[in-house]
Amino acid sequence: MMNRSIDSFFRRLFIVVGMVVAVFLLYLMMPVIVPFVFAFVLAYLFNPLVKRLSKYIRRWIAIIIVYATITLGMVLLLWWLIPTLWHQLQAAWEYLPKVLNWYNEVVRDWFTNNSRIRLPELEAKGFSETLVEYMQTNYKFEDASTMMSQIIASSMNFINNAGLIVLVPILTFYFLFNWDQRLQTWKMAIPAPYCHKVVEIAQECDRALMAFIKGQLLVMVLLGAIYAVQLQLIGLELGLIIGMVAGIASFVPYLGFGIGFIAAIIACLFQFGLNWTYLSLIVGAFLVGQAAEGYILQPLLLGDKIGLSPLWVIFAVLAGASLLGFVGMLIALPVSAVLNVLFHHLYDYYRSTDLYKGRKQLTLFDKK
């Protein structure tokens, strides 16, 4: 009987075509895959707490208790925040006429006196007309029927997205319920000679990620509180919102400081005018926040969890932003923590090779 073998070219071609088709299918299924990925991340974050509680009660009860605790905490937080935020949003809306007056009286006059640029005058009553004109220009609403069809289509998209959002807690529950069994299944799929090393690397990545995430969340909360309390004590009406946004944005290095500082200066100019006392107090508040973050919060709560120098941190954030935009900025540091663990293991392996010890050379450098 003749042995028939597939030509190596066609075998490689088949593999490449299969990979291209798989990537294309993943791209088409991205709206479905995203909720599963998000649910898996949430399950990874909640699993340590569920695991502790499951030592005393059934695991499904522990999951429900965690869900209920998080929901109750969010409700109480919103119950306290919404009235204050609503008041500050109303105050921010009342600044619109002041912004327009500042634009018309300061910005327009400066450009008129110092350049050939002639900026148009803005009025609050013209905003609605400008909005309608923008909608007609960009969305081409020729009549009411086309406008209603666009609204219905947008509503359907919103309903679909809302359905996926509701699906995330359910998926997270199932991920959490079978978490240990799923990890054991993945572990059994690893080839036996490499199982110990792969598990060791995975555990180090897990420790680095969890330590970083817990520390970073605490830094965000405490830094936001520091900014908000200082700005409220100074008397800035939008101090709570600006402080909270600055604390949340501090997940990306230097972004929270930049956004909060610029927003606070602008709000101060509109509320107090060019008052050097208040401007100095705001500058001092953000300097205090930066000092607290750099010398107290990060050393105590984060320490050297990632193991990267400030230069590499900045590079990682910029690289993430370049590759994936804002999402890339958010995941840059956690991904860097994992890559740092992998690099150290790769470097240790390289130092154990005969090539590093000088016992062997690459073929390119062999003496003939």
Side-chain angles (χ1 to χ4, degrees):
M1 186 175 180
M2 297 178 61
N3 291 328
R4 296 181 179 181
S5 60
I6 302 176
D7 185 78
S8 60
F9 170 77
F10 290 102
R11 184 184 294 111
R12 297 189 186 104
L13 180 62
F14 178 77
I15 294 174
V16 171
V17 171
M19 293 175 63
V20 171
V21 172
V23 171
F24 181 69
L25 290 176
L26 286 176
Y27 173 76
L28 293 179
M29 296 175 62
M30 192 60 65
V32 179
I33 294 174
V34 168
F36 282 83
V37 174
F38 192 60
F40 179 81
V41 173
L42 289 178
Y44 172 74
L45 295 176
F46 296 155
N47 181 65
L49 184 57
V50 172
K51 192 172 183 178
R52 287 186 180 182
L53 291 176
S54 62
K55 294 179 180 179
Y56 310 101
I57 55 179
R58 292 180 179 271
R59 189 172 179 88
W60 65 271
I61 299 177
I63 298 173
I64 293 176
I65 291 175
V66 170
Y67 270 38
T69 303
I70 294 173
T71 303
L72 180 62
M74 292 181 63
V75 169
L76 293 177
L77 182 64
L78 292 176
W79 184 272
W80 173 70
L81 281 180
I82 285 178
T84 305
L85 290 177
W86 178 251
H87 172 73
Q88 297 208 349
L89 287 174
Q90 287 180 321
W93 179 255
E94 292 175 357
Y95 280 127
L96 180 60
K98 297 181 181 180
V99 173
L100 295 179
N101 290 334
W102 177 75
Y103 165 81
N104 292 327
E105 297 176 1
V106 179
V107 178
R108 283 186 72 250
D109 289 347
W110 188 90
F111 275 96
T112 301
N113 298 329
N114 297 278
S115 68
R116 297 181 180 180
I117 300 176
R118 297 296 180 266
L119 297 177
E121 185 176 359
L122 296 180
E123 296 181 3
K125 64 180 181 180
F127 264 46
S128 58
E129 299 174 0
T130 304
L131 179 61
V132 172
E133 182 180 353
Y134 173 81
M135 297 290 288
Q136 291 176 344
T137 302
N138 291 274
Y139 295 94
K140 298 180 180 179
F141 293 143
E142 297 177 357
D143 50 33
S145 62
T146 58
M147 183 175 180
M148 287 302 299
S149 63
Q150 291 282 350
I151 293 175
I152 292 174
S154 300
S155 301
M156 292 302 297
N157 290 331
F158 174 78
I159 292 173
N160 292 332
N161 293 330
L164 293 177
I165 293 174
V166 173
L167 185 63
V168 168
I170 300 174
L171 297 175
T172 305
F173 180 89
Y174 284 109
F175 274 125
L176 283 170
F177 188 74
N178 295 318
W179 186 266
D180 293 334
Q181 294 88 333
R182 188 171 289 106
L183 289 184
Q184 186 64 26
T185 302
W186 293 347
K187 180 180 177 180
M188 296 298 295
I190 302 173
Y194 310 105
C195 183
H196 177 73
K197 192 64 177 179
V198 171
V199 171
E200 179 186 352
I201 294 174
Q203 289 175 345
E204 287 189 23
C205 291
D206 174 63
R207 287 193 294 267
L209 275 177
M210 292 306 298
F212 169 73
I213 291 172
K214 292 176 183 177
Q216 187 62 54
L217 288 176
L218 285 174
V219 169
M220 290 165 56
V221 172
L222 295 176
L223 190 60
I226 290 172
Y227 284 139
V229 168
Q230 289 186 105
L231 295 178
Q232 287 290 100
L233 291 176
I234 290 172
L236 198 64
E237 293 183 1
L238 303 179
L240 180 61
I241 292 180
I242 294 174
M244 290 173 56
V245 171
I248 295 172
S250 65
F251 186 85
V252 179
Y254 312 110
L255 180 64
F257 172 80
I259 292 177
F261 182 75
I262 294 173
I265 291 295
I266 293 174
C268 178
L269 290 175
F270 288 128
Q271 181 176 347
F272 303 113
L274 192 60
N275 190 311
W276 292 107
T277 301
Y278 284 102
L279 289 174
S280 301
L281 289 175
I282 289 176
V283 171
F286 278 88
L287 290 178
V288 169
Q290 279 295 287
E293 180 184 11
Y295 296 102
I296 300 176
L297 298 180
Q298 286 193 351
L300 291 178
L301 301 176
L302 283 174
D304 194 20
K305 306 302 181 184
I306 304 181
L308 298 176
S309 67
L311 289 176
W312 278 109
V313 169
I314 297 173
F315 173 80
V317 172
L318 294 178
S322 177
L323 293 174
L324 297 175
F326 183 71
V327 176
M329 295 176 66
L330 293 179
I331 66 174
L333 294 184
V335 171
S336 298
V338 174
L339 292 178
N340 183 56
V341 173
L342 298 178
F343 172 78
H344 279 293
H345 280 274
L346 182 62
Y347 182 69
D348 290 339
Y349 170 75
Y350 163 69
R351 294 188 63 181
S352 66
T353 59
D354 291 336
L355 178 64
Y356 175 79
K357 296 177 180 179
R359 301 171 185 170
K360 183 179 179 180
Q361 286 186 331
L362 296 176
T363 307
L364 180 63
F365 301 102
D366 284 343
K367 295 181 180 180
K368 297 182 179 179

